[in-house]
Amino acid sequence: MDENEKISEVGGETAGYLFEFKSDGVYLTVYPNDDNGILFELSDMRQILKDYGVADYDIELLARVVRTAEGVPVRLADRFVSPVGAGAEERANVRVEEKAEEVDDRETMTFTVDVAKDRMTAKIRIERDAAKKPPTAEAILQALADRRITYGIDNDAINAGLEHGSEFIAAKGTAPQNGIDAKIERKFSLAEKGKPAVNKYDQVDYKNMNLFVLAKKGQVLAERIPHTQGIPGTNIFGDEIRPKPGKPKPVPAGKNTEIRDENLVVSLIEGQIVDNGTKISVDPRLTIDGDVGVGTGNIDFVGAVDIGGSVMQGFIVKATGDINIKGMVSGGVVHGYNVYIAGGVQGMNRGEVRAEEEVRAAFVENAKIEAGGNIFITDVALHSDLRAGKVLAVEGKRGLVTGGYLAAGEEIRAKTIGNTLFVATKLVVGVNPMLQRRYQETCKEYAELKKKLSQLTKALNTLGKIDVSKLPPERAAQISQMTRSQFPLAGKIERDEKLIRELEEQIAQMRIGRIRVADKMYPGTRIIINSVMKNIQSEEQHCTLTVEDDEIKSGAY
């Protein structure tokens, strides 16, 4: 027999439907009806299937085929049984089963179909009466079909409800999944900002108060996770339910940041992270409204720092940019690119100010100041160590230098140097003190590296006489490490040699140096200009001191 041979059929286009019972299953075709008239009921379809012994089929599929009426055959079941009276040819390949059914002629319990306001559930309410028989599943399905309910029909729930309950959910839609709001994931934390750091010994360091969180250039500061549109749902009538899309959020890029790859906030500079909740910025300046002390701890910032008060004793301020201090430096340490101090420096023999370029202060007392460029003091310099790569000037108001050590690469200027008590004051001009210090440090490092390499070479020469293959693995690895370490060491020595030669050439080229005194210079002052020394024996006024023919001479101011 052909696999798709037709055994029997029921209905036709005139009836509005056609059942085809074939060797490979049961097919139903429901024809479109332009008159919108009802030619048959769902119960009619179910009765035909029952007559043919078709029990295992999808009721929901049957209801959908009837409702859509697309005019194409749809396979409903795999097996069927020909009804009694069918011809021998129809029974040849089909197993006939006859079942005796008990006839229950009682009235059927009434029931209602309640559809929820949101059209997501259909509840069956049965009026239970012991004198009446319960409705059939077919009746429930027909009632649902009459209400055009086609989605989410739960056959198991219907059967269980008919057997045990008076109320049950016969059909249930699929709720939509709403979209997720966009969110911002910050790649930094400000939670510890303003709290003292704790070291590995659980000791609180009140000089490290975590006043700011630093960002590096190119660092990703935040990422936006975009919102989603959600997943649609379906109500029991088969209608799509649109989900509520998530709320979008703008990328919180602020000052000195940029948006990359649509969702990333990236820092364009180095500085402190400023987050106001809606914008993430990077500020190249750090502002301290009051003093740098116990309330702030030490400051170590990449960028510029503005301090509204003073730097107190024992505290440190370091910055890669300029440092502006409206108050004083009172026994503190300040390192910056340019350092400007409105109130001066009280060193207390421990304070230090160092700048890559320039230092300006009202006065300095018992302190140490170094600048790669210039130092300008507008009042007095008392008993301090001042070293400038170019010009050191103590001018304005009193312009007084008394005691201490002053050095400059090109020129020292002051109104008054020394005092009537002949306090020892030393001035050195003609050699850049920063250059000189670097030269001395490099020479010291060079000597230490040479010594270390010599010791390493001797050790390797001794070990070279030993058969390494006979040594323990740990000892062999140690010798291998020693052998490798000599090469970078030798490279560093070679670079130091080159740097020393360059520094010596720069120092040798420095020949111009002078000291200018606008008012008086007292005895007790020692002067060195381009390695030529002179002790001032008598008071000199309005003069300029320079070197001529290896001798310091005094000329007009």
Side-chain angles (χ1 to χ4, degrees):
M1 181 184 299
D2 187 354
E3 188 179 83
N4 202 25
E5 181 180 353
K6 185 185 296 184
I7 297 173
S8 180
E9 65 180 30
V10 177
E13 190 168 355
T14 303
Y17 69 89
L18 174 63
F19 276 104
E20 296 177 284
F21 297 92
K22 299 182 179 181
S23 58
D24 67 334
V26 180
Y27 292 81
L28 171 62
T29 303
V30 178
Y31 299 100
N33 183 11
D34 296 334
D35 297 333
N36 295 322
I38 300 175
L39 301 179
F40 56 89
E41 299 289 345
L42 180 63
S43 59
D44 298 332
M45 305 294 98
R46 292 178 60 80
Q47 184 60 49
I48 293 170
L49 292 172
K50 184 177 180 181
D51 292 343
Y52 276 79
V54 181
D56 187 11
Y57 64 92
D58 189 336
I59 298 175
E60 185 176 343
L61 176 60
L62 173 62
R64 188 181 304 117
V65 172
V66 172
R67 181 175 66 85
T68 57
E70 296 178 345
V72 296
V74 177
R75 190 167 181 265
L76 295 179
D78 298 330
R79 300 180 58 202
F80 66 92
V81 178
S82 295
V84 176
E89 183 180 347
E90 295 177 359
R91 296 196 304 269
N93 296 294
V94 181
R95 181 170 55 90
V96 178
E97 296 180 2
E98 298 182 4
K99 297 183 180 179
E101 296 184 0
E102 295 182 2
V103 178
D104 188 349
D105 56 359
R106 293 180 299 165
E107 291 185 21
T108 303
M109 300 175 188
T110 60
F111 66 90
T112 58
V113 179
D114 291 342
V115 176
K117 290 183 179 180
D118 61 3
R119 299 163 65 91
M120 292 299 290
T121 58
K123 180 182 288 187
I124 305 298
R125 300 180 188 273
I126 302 175
E127 296 182 5
R128 290 287 178 180
D129 187 341
K132 297 180 180 181
K133 65 182 178 181
T136 63
E138 289 78 3
I140 300 296
L141 291 172
Q142 182 62 51
L144 295 175
D146 292 343
R147 297 290 297 270
R148 297 189 178 276
I149 297 170
T150 59
Y151 181 85
I153 297 174
D154 190 337
N155 296 309
D156 293 338
I158 292 173
N159 293 328
L162 290 174
E163 184 176 354
H164 302 292
S166 59
E167 292 186 1
F168 57 89
I169 302 296
K172 186 175 183 180
T174 301
Q177 295 181 23
N178 291 333
I180 300 173
D181 294 346
K183 64 178 181 178
I184 306 299
E185 287 188 355
R186 286 164 169 78
K187 307 298 184 181
F188 59 88
S189 174
L190 301 180
E192 299 301 317
K193 188 175 179 181
K195 297 180 181 179
V198 179
N199 62 24
K200 62 181 180 180
Y201 303 108
D202 292 331
Q203 296 173 330
V204 177
D205 182 3
Y206 286 100
K207 288 190 175 182
N208 184 0
M209 295 296 292
N210 293 313
L211 288 185
F212 49 85
V213 177
L214 289 177
K216 295 182 179 179
K217 183 177 180 180
Q219 178 181 342
V220 176
L221 303 178
E223 180 181 5
R224 176 180 64 180
I225 308 301
H227 68 287
T228 61
Q229 296 297 325
I231 301 174
T234 306
N235 64 23
I236 59 176
F237 298 99
D239 301 322
E240 180 179 285
I241 305 173
R242 293 184 179 180
K244 181 180 179 181
K247 296 179 181 179
K249 278 188 178 181
V251 180
K255 186 178 179 182
N256 296 317
T257 66
E258 69 175 0
I259 300 173
R260 291 185 189 172
D261 299 332
E262 297 185 356
N263 295 306
L264 299 179
V265 179
V266 178
S267 175
L268 294 174
I269 63 170
E270 292 189 347
Q272 69 164 324
I273 299 173
V274 179
D275 184 0
N276 64 6
T278 58
K279 296 286 185 181
I280 298 173
S281 303
V282 179
D283 193 342
R285 304 191 72 87
L286 173 66
T287 301
I288 306 296
D289 293 330
D291 295 338
V292 173
V294 293
T296 64
N298 295 330
I299 305 297
D300 191 350
F301 185 69
V302 179
V305 177
D306 293 330
I307 300 172
S310 299
V311 179
M312 307 308 292
Q313 180 179 338
F315 289 88
I316 301 171
V317 177
K318 292 183 179 180
T320 58
D322 295 349
I323 299 176
N324 288 279
I325 302 172
K326 290 186 178 180
M328 302 172 58
V329 176
S330 301
V333 175
V334 178
H335 293 175
Y337 188 76
N338 291 298
V339 180
Y340 305 113
I341 307 165
V345 182
Q346 285 185 335
M348 304 177 186
N349 292 319
R350 67 173 67 186
E352 175 184 301
V353 176
R354 185 181 298 174
E356 295 292 325
E357 285 296 324
E358 186 174 280
V359 174
R360 290 180 179 267
F363 68 90
V364 55
E365 180 180 1
N366 293 314
K368 182 177 182 178
I369 297 179
E370 292 185 0
N374 306 318
I375 296 176
F376 296 105
I377 306 298
T378 58
D379 191 6
V380 297
L382 305 176
H383 309 288
S384 296
D385 186 334
L386 310 180
R387 302 168 188 255
K390 295 180 180 178
V391 175
L392 196 165
V394 183
E395 298 174 316
K397 294 185 181 180
R398 287 178 284 178
L400 171 65
V401 175
T402 299
Y405 176 93
L406 287 75
E410 298 174 3
E411 180 179 82
I412 294 177
R413 300 196 303 265
K415 279 187 177 181
T416 303
I417 299 176
N419 61 15
T420 55
L421 299 177
F422 304 161
V423 174
T425 306
K426 186 175 182 179
L427 284 67
V428 179
V429 184
V431 176
N432 185 328
M434 304 297 103
L435 198 65
Q436 193 174 45
R437 186 179 67 180
R438 188 180 180 192
Y439 174 75
Q440 292 170 348
E441 291 174 349
T442 304
C443 288
K444 181 180 179 181
E445 181 186 56
Y446 173 76
E448 292 174 351
L449 293 175
K450 287 278 287 184
K451 181 179 179 181
K452 186 176 180 180
L453 181 60
S454 176
Q455 293 172 344
L456 183 60
T457 302
K458 290 179 181 179
L460 289 173
N461 289 337
T462 302
L463 293 171
K465 301 174 183 179
I466 301 174
D467 186 355
V468 180
S469 62
K470 296 181 180 180
L471 294 176
E474 298 81 5
R475 184 60 174 160
Q478 184 180 9
I479 294 174
S480 178
Q481 176 62 32
M482 291 173 62
T483 303
R484 290 194 300 270
S485 66
Q486 66 181 332
F487 300 109
L489 195 58
K492 184 65 172 68
I493 290 172
E494 184 177 350
R495 291 192 295 274
D496 278 357
E497 287 177 346
K498 182 180 178 182
L499 179 58
I500 288 171
R501 289 194 297 269
E502 291 174 353
L503 292 173
E504 287 174 343
E505 290 176 3
Q506 293 179 38
I507 292 172
Q509 290 173 2
M510 298 188 70
R511 290 287 181 266
I512 300 174
R514 62 182 180 178
I515 297 173
R516 301 181 65 196
V517 183
D519 191 3
K520 296 179 181 180
M521 181 166 55
Y522 291 93
T525 302
R526 174 178 290 186
I527 295 173
I528 299 176
I529 303 177
N530 301 121
S531 302
V532 179
M533 185 179 70
K534 178 180 180 179
N535 290 317
I536 303 302
Q537 302 294 333
S538 60
E539 183 180 304
E540 297 193 22
Q541 299 182 2
H542 314 297
C543 59
T544 299
L545 290 86
T546 57
V547 172
E548 294 182 15
D549 300 326
D550 293 329
E551 182 180 349
I552 295 177
K553 295 185 178 180
S554 180
Y557 179 77

